[in-house]
Amino acid sequence: MGTRRGMEEASPVFSTLLDLAPDQASAPAPSPPRSAEPAPPPGPEGHRKRLREKLLRAGPDALADYELLEMLLFLALPRVDTKPHAKRLMARFGSFARACNAPEHELRGVEGIGEAAIAALRLARAAALRLLVQEAREQPVLNNWERLIAYLTAALAHEPVEQFRIIFLDSRNRLLADEPQARGTVNHTPVYPREVVKRALELGATALILVHNHPSGDPTPSRADIQMTAEVRQAAATLGILLHDHLIIGNGRHLSFRRENLL
């Protein structure tokens, strides 16, 4: 006691602290401040995180073409800054779609684009086509025309040479198969009506839609297109198979023979 009294007399401040100490001991400890959301790490990993957050928060429409390419290449090149690669693809091909549809030898000519990157681009194209064709299968094709055109445009609009395809339908106009029949040059594809009808019989198809692309981008039919369509129609009709239409896919445009009264 003597010691405490002497310290109090010597130091009023110490006395005040002693008087306050019991109250402070009984008071709850203050909560630690809430930590802020950690910032993305610097460098490529931070950039990737920000792109992923942007995609999930705002949706794919908020991403530029080169950003979509960057994110695709994340899968193929996990330890590489893919932004320069995406920029080079855009400079070479001009759009996301053209890059995904570009021939392999042209892709390999872009610095940094090898087998893994090409596989990622091919995967994106295959996934898009698979989604579109499966949506087209959900209803009779003639009641689902817009989805069919979207699928065919995605499949053919960027092809560098002509490709002839046939859509085989059952008696309820549901999709049985969509098959490429021939590939040609930039302005011609050989088509043999007998082979078309033979394949329809193998599949049990009762109706057809002919499809081919014009790499020039202009879907106007040539005289050869019109003649070939008439020959296929006649050969199919002989066996009770209906030709619904012939579609020509251009760059952002398409032409329907039925709509143009060419059937």
Side-chain angles (χ1 to χ4, degrees):
M1 293 292 294
T3 302
R4 172 176 176 134
R5 187 178 298 113
M7 294 178 69
E8 289 175 354
E9 292 172 354
S11 176
V13 174
F14 181 79
S15 175
T16 303
L17 288 173
L18 288 174
D19 292 337
L20 289 175
D23 292 336
Q24 289 177 339
S26 62
S31 300
R34 296 181 62 184
S35 59
E37 187 72 21
E45 280 306 313
H47 179 62
R48 291 183 179 204
K49 186 175 188 298
R50 285 188 291 271
L51 276 183
R52 285 192 292 268
E53 290 172 347
K54 182 177 179 181
L55 172 67
L56 296 174
R57 182 181 66 254
D61 289 344
L63 297 175
D65 275 12
Y66 80 88
E67 291 175 317
L68 286 176
L69 287 170
E70 275 190 78
M71 296 195 74
L72 260 184
L73 295 176
F74 290 175
L75 305 174
L77 306 168
R79 296 179 180 82
V80 175
D81 179 5
T82 59
K83 186 173 183 178
H85 298 66
K87 291 282 192 176
R88 285 192 287 269
L89 286 169
M90 288 296 297
R92 173 65 180 82
F93 300 109
S95 72
F96 176 83
R98 289 188 181 278
C100 288
N101 284 282
E104 182 176 336
H105 70 275
E106 292 188 22
L107 288 169
R108 288 187 182 276
V110 177
E111 182 185 348
I113 302 301
E115 184 176 274
I118 293 170
L121 295 172
R122 290 290 180 264
L123 178 63
R125 184 177 188 274
L129 293 178
R130 185 72 58 88
L131 286 170
L132 288 169
V133 76
Q134 289 184 355
E135 287 179 348
R137 287 181 187 273
E138 292 176 358
Q139 301 177 29
V141 167
L142 300 185
N143 296 338
N144 204 13
W145 201 250
E146 289 185 3
R147 287 185 178 179
L148 177 66
I149 296 299
Y151 162 66
L152 294 172
T153 299
L156 294 173
H158 301 288
E159 283 285 322
V161 298
E162 278 199 11
Q163 183 181 134
F164 185 80
R165 305 176 75 95
I166 304 176
I167 295 173
F168 298 94
L169 307 175
D170 66 12
S171 59
R172 296 174 62 185
N173 290 320
R174 294 176 303 187
L175 182 64
L176 285 174
D178 163 39
E179 297 183 351
Q181 297 297 302
R183 290 174 65 90
T185 64
V186 293
N187 59 10
H188 177 68
T189 305
V191 178
Y192 304 102
R194 182 171 60 246
E195 296 299 319
V196 172
V197 174
K198 177 184 176 183
R199 183 59 178 152
L201 292 174
E202 290 171 351
L203 293 169
T206 59
L208 308 171
I209 298 175
L210 307 181
V211 186
H212 81 280
N213 63 307
H214 279 180
S216 68
D218 180 2
T220 303
S222 66
R223 183 174 299 178
D225 292 335
I226 294 170
Q227 181 180 346
M228 177 270 293
T229 305
E231 292 173 358
V232 171
R233 181 184 186 186
Q234 183 178 356
T238 302
L239 297 171
I241 299 170
L242 177 65
L243 178 59
H244 276 310
D245 209 340
H246 183 173
L247 299 171
I248 301 180
I249 306 298
N251 188 4
R253 296 184 291 160
H254 72 277
L255 179 138
S256 160
F257 272 52
R258 186 163 296 280
R259 187 177 299 168
E260 298 296 322
N261 295 316
L262 296 172
L263 270 179

